[in-house]
Amino acid sequence: MQNDYDIIVIGGGHAGAEAAWAAANLGMRTALVTMRADRIGQMSCNPAIGGLAKGQMVREIDALGGLMALAIDATGIQFRMLNQSKGPAVRGPRAQADKYAYAREVQQLLRSRTNLTILEGTVDEILTTEGHVAGIRLAPGPTRFSESGPSLTASSVVLTTGTFMRGLLHSGESQTPGGRIGEAPAVSISDALRALGFELGRLKTGTPPRLAAESIDFAALEIQPGDNPPIPFSDLTPMRRGDFSPPVFPVLEQRPCWITQTHEKIHDLIRANLHRAPMYNGQVKTTGPRYCPSIEDKVVRFADKSAHHVFLEPESLETNEIYCNGISTSLPHDVQDFIVANMPGCERAKILKYGYAVEYDMVLPHQIDATCMTKRLPGLFLAGQINGTTGYEEAAGQGLVAGLNAVRYARQQDLVRLGRDQAYIGVLMDDLVTKVPREPYRMFTSRAEHRLILRSDNAADRLTPLGRELGLVDDERWSVYENRRATLAQMRQTLQAACGLAALKRPDFDEPAALAILGESADPRLVAALLSDAKYEPFIERHRRDHQRLEKVESRPLPVDYDYTKVRGLRNEAIHVLNRFRPATLGQARRLAGINPADLTVLTFAMKLR
């Protein structure tokens, strides 16, 4: 075993995969340490990528050279653009995945990097020297006779533990240690972090039952087909343009989803069994995601609703597994049997896997900054659910940021922070370091005040030049980007010559109207971007002017090691909050709970005097 690396990434989930991919693509000798190499890229819960705000993040990851969009384009079995009836700023691409093919694709992409080594093992200790990270120590394996496992050295370590840190699975009254069903938890890493002085919290998430497809009466259900033609996530994925090119996308056979629902009979039984629900009988004391609640949560919180939609989604072309999106639960198996058997179309449905909840440790994210590096231990980076987030896309975005900055730290370069006006990933990171999580964090378009310019259709224009500057974007992607810019300019010129600039801004001038002029061979992705730019232009210009005024104050840096007790006139609450979160900019300080306008005035004046 090689023992010396530039970068070590711990964990093979969506955050770890992106971190390892970024580090390897930047030329670093990278080790990806995971408990099981065959589970890298696994979809533990929903077999889908993207969605509202989440789809924008996947496009941003792609624009910065990440792997998530490439993997889903190769393995998606249904592609849909959500919120089609609304404006482009709040539309979100989403794809149903063949979850087994998706994991294999992620593993194949990672193994294509010759400077990336995948190691199976469990981390016992994070090594330090002179106040910064120095590597890790693995637990002794079954064939090793020493009391401790081997040490691996590195300049930077990225920790992406998902739900595995002291993971505990709940199903009714049953409790089983584990990070996922059938997989052991990671216990030592929590102790290692506490020993280093980190403050840990605990959160909860859950998953629904899976059904056997052949046991469902799909004819009785509302069908939900995908888009035709489907639109890929990655700019590197070519697609058919009319009859002028071969069909290279989608790669896999496309499948529909179906819609069923719960009703009052089901709700009554759930209420009668709340004393057996871990979330309500005191067995689980942590908080789950408010915006992805369990069915028992929905019944209690939305007591006025007589029904809740349940989306039946195929998990793979290779198996008969159907995912029940909308009834995440940790209720006992007999209650889950009743819920499923009473949903329309599922009267004879066979449950293949029961739903369960998982509790896990996380690191309270006020201890990192927006680069993903910990404030307490330079060189240690955290990404994914360890920072209190939920969702594959949120994890992947953090993984990319952590991998990039782990490399920059190792090379003694300035670390990179994405702004809230640059990317949803920037919004995510800023929110994490300015708010104490009371529940797992999920991204929404409503969290982004700059959403008019953070659209899924312009992610490449916003971020690919930055990715090229940082070394994340290779020659192939850069060539595709340059061709995109040239084609957009040509299309804009053609449309303006045919109908004038004013026509492009009219609400009734839509994509079919543009394609009638440009021809069916035009790439619909570029047509959508062009029309969005035209229609939003006056609003964006006003937004930019307002933002520029705020930016002068927002971007003013604050010293990360400053003792705020020295600032005269600052309230005690403000001193406590500033010393705890240590914001990097005045804008971050402004968004902290407990900081009021008067505090900002005092702070601005004090910083000018330093």
Side-chain angles (χ1 to χ4, degrees):
M1 178 189 292
Q2 178 182 333
N3 292 88
D4 180 42
Y5 296 91
D6 300 314
I7 310 294
I8 296 173
V9 178
I10 303 168
H14 304 280
E18 292 291 350
W21 178 256
N25 285 339
L26 287 166
M28 304 297 270
R29 294 172 302 126
T30 306
L32 174 57
V33 180
T34 180
M35 289 193 284
R36 288 185 57 175
D38 64 339
R39 297 297 177 91
I40 290 172
Q42 181 170 339
M43 293 178 150
S44 306
C45 195
N46 191 4
I49 294 293
L52 302 179
K54 292 169 172 281
Q56 282 89 325
M57 282 195 290
V58 180
R59 291 278 295 123
E60 291 173 354
I61 292 165
D62 184 66
L64 290 168
L67 63 74
M68 178 170 271
L70 295 172
I72 189 58
D73 282 356
T75 61
I77 57 177
Q78 186 192 95
F79 293 81
R80 293 178 63 225
M81 182 65 74
L82 306 186
N83 265 359
Q84 281 277 37
S85 63
K86 299 184 179 180
V90 292
R91 294 175 190 164
R94 182 184 188 272
Q96 199 70 25
D98 181 318
K99 70 176 188 179
Y100 299 109
Y102 182 89
R104 289 196 301 267
E105 185 69 19
V106 171
Q107 292 166 28
Q108 180 179 323
L109 286 166
L110 291 174
R111 289 193 174 102
S112 71
R113 295 305 181 255
T114 56
N115 56 333
L116 173 59
T117 302
I118 296 174
L119 302 173
E120 287 192 334
T122 302
V123 176
D124 259 2
E125 185 182 356
I126 296 170
L127 304 177
T128 65
T129 181
E130 297 180 353
H132 59 82
V133 80
I136 62 173
R137 187 184 305 282
L138 296 176
T143 60
R144 302 190 190 107
F145 297 97
S146 61
E147 293 184 0
S148 62
S151 297
L152 306 181
T153 62
S155 300
S156 301
V157 172
V158 182
L159 188 55
T160 70
T161 55
T163 60
F164 280 78
M165 282 208 307
R166 288 201 314 123
L168 184 63
L169 309 180
H170 297 266
S171 183
E173 293 87 354
S174 171
Q175 299 181 49
T176 307
R180 268 192 300 249
I181 194 73
E183 295 186 59
V187 178
S188 299
I189 196 69
S190 292
D191 296 334
L193 288 168
R194 283 197 183 91
L196 290 170
F198 286 97
E199 183 182 354
L200 303 188
R202 199 151 171 84
L203 291 175
K204 168 253 176 191
T205 189
T207 190
R210 273 74 160 175
L211 310 182
E214 68 275 10
S215 66
I216 300 171
D217 180 10
F218 291 114
L221 301 176
E222 177 186 347
I223 194 168
Q224 188 181 52
D227 292 342
N228 188 19
I231 304 295
F233 276 90
S234 177
D235 287 333
L236 296 187
T237 303
M239 58 182 294
R240 178 191 281 275
R241 302 184 187 183
D243 295 324
F244 298 95
S245 59
V248 293
F249 174 85
V251 177
L252 299 184
E253 177 189 340
Q254 298 297 282
R255 294 284 178 86
C257 298
W258 297 267
I259 304 174
T260 183
Q261 61 183 14
T262 63
H263 49 71
E264 278 297 347
K265 185 178 178 182
I266 293 173
H267 298 181
D268 288 343
L269 184 83
I270 291 172
R271 292 187 191 100
N273 283 275
L274 285 177
H275 65 285
R276 302 173 67 198
M279 283 291 292
Y280 288 90
N281 65 10
Q283 186 173 311
V284 173
K285 298 180 175 62
T286 50
T287 306
R290 185 181 7 153
Y291 298 104
C292 188
S294 65
I295 185 60
E296 48 266 43
D297 249 2
K298 290 180 183 179
V299 168
V300 171
R301 285 168 47 195
F302 308 109
D304 58 319
K305 287 191 173 292
S306 60
H308 294 285
H309 278 131
V310 180
F311 299 89
L312 302 181
E313 303 170 341
E315 292 204 316
S316 175
L317 301 180
E318 304 168 11
T319 70
N320 63 343
E321 297 165 285
I322 299 293
Y323 181 90
C324 296
N325 190 345
I327 54 169
S328 172
T329 184
S330 57
L331 283 161
H333 291 182
D334 62 296
V335 181
Q336 294 188 44
D337 287 332
F338 184 92
I339 293 170
V340 169
N342 281 274
M343 296 190 307
C346 300
E347 292 84 357
R348 296 177 181 83
K350 176 186 176 183
I351 297 180
L352 297 174
K353 298 176 185 175
Y354 287 93
Y356 63 90
V358 55
E359 282 186 287
Y360 55 93
D361 285 349
M362 46 82 69
V363 176
L364 295 174
H366 68 270
Q367 298 165 103
I368 65 169
D369 68 15
T371 65
C372 285
M373 189 166 79
T374 62
K375 299 171 183 175
R376 180 175 292 276
L377 184 60
L380 177 63
F381 296 78
L382 309 181
Q385 286 176 285
I386 192 172
N387 287 331
T389 63
T390 183
Y392 308 146
E393 303 82 4
E394 289 87 345
Q398 294 171 72
L400 188 150
V401 171
L404 165 66
N405 281 316
V407 171
R408 295 184 70 84
Y409 177 83
R411 291 175 173 168
Q412 299 183 339
Q413 297 173 325
D414 291 340
L415 303 190
V416 174
R417 298 176 178 85
L418 293 175
R420 296 181 70 92
D421 60 326
Q422 284 181 289
Y424 271 89
I425 299 172
V427 176
L428 164 67
M429 293 309 308
D430 188 71
D431 281 351
L432 285 182
V433 302
T434 57
K435 296 173 173 61
V436 176
R438 294 182 175 85
E439 62 195 11
Y441 178 98
R442 180 181 178 182
M443 180 54 71
F444 293 97
T445 54
S446 59
R447 297 191 192 273
E449 65 272 31
H450 303 291
R451 57 186 169 273
L452 286 183
I453 57 176
L454 302 183
R455 307 188 308 273
S456 64
D457 59 52
N458 69 359
D461 305 310
R462 290 185 278 119
L463 295 172
T464 298
L466 174 63
R468 182 68 168 179
E469 178 186 334
L470 296 173
L472 292 168
V473 169
D474 61 15
D475 291 343
E476 179 189 5
R477 186 178 293 277
W478 186 246
S479 176
V480 169
Y481 172 75
E482 289 186 316
N483 184 64
R484 168 194 171 90
R485 300 303 301 160
T487 305
L488 275 171
Q490 178 67 46
M491 290 167 64
R492 188 178 294 108
Q493 186 178 11
T494 300
L495 289 175
Q496 288 182 4
C499 57
L501 180 61
L504 302 185
K505 298 180 179 181
R506 293 202 315 262
D508 60 339
F509 191 89
D510 54 11
E511 291 173 33
L515 287 170
I517 297 170
L518 297 170
E520 292 299 320
S521 63
D523 190 328
R525 295 173 288 187
L526 300 188
V527 174
L530 191 155
L531 294 182
S532 297
D533 283 341
K535 296 181 192 306
Y536 277 130
E537 184 180 7
F539 304 101
I540 290 173
E541 185 54 40
R542 185 174 63 195
H543 179 85
R544 288 192 193 281
R545 288 197 301 269
D546 293 342
H547 176 61
Q548 284 170 358
R549 286 194 292 269
L550 285 173
E551 181 66 16
K552 292 179 181 177
V553 175
E554 284 270 316
S555 60
R556 190 170 297 163
L558 294 176
V560 295
D561 57 348
Y562 189 66
D563 181 2
Y564 288 97
T565 60
K566 297 178 180 178
V567 179
R568 295 179 60 185
L570 206 55
R571 296 176 308 117
N572 287 336
E573 181 185 7
I575 291 170
H576 172 75
V577 169
L578 290 167
N579 278 332
R580 186 184 188 199
F581 284 86
R582 302 212 167 274
T585 66
L586 201 61
Q588 285 186 357
R590 181 177 65 84
R591 288 184 287 277
L592 292 173
I595 302 297
N596 64 29
D599 298 324
L600 289 175
T601 300
V602 172
L603 194 58
T604 303
F605 183 69
M607 292 302 108
K608 283 182 179 178
L609 291 180
R610 282 190 81 238

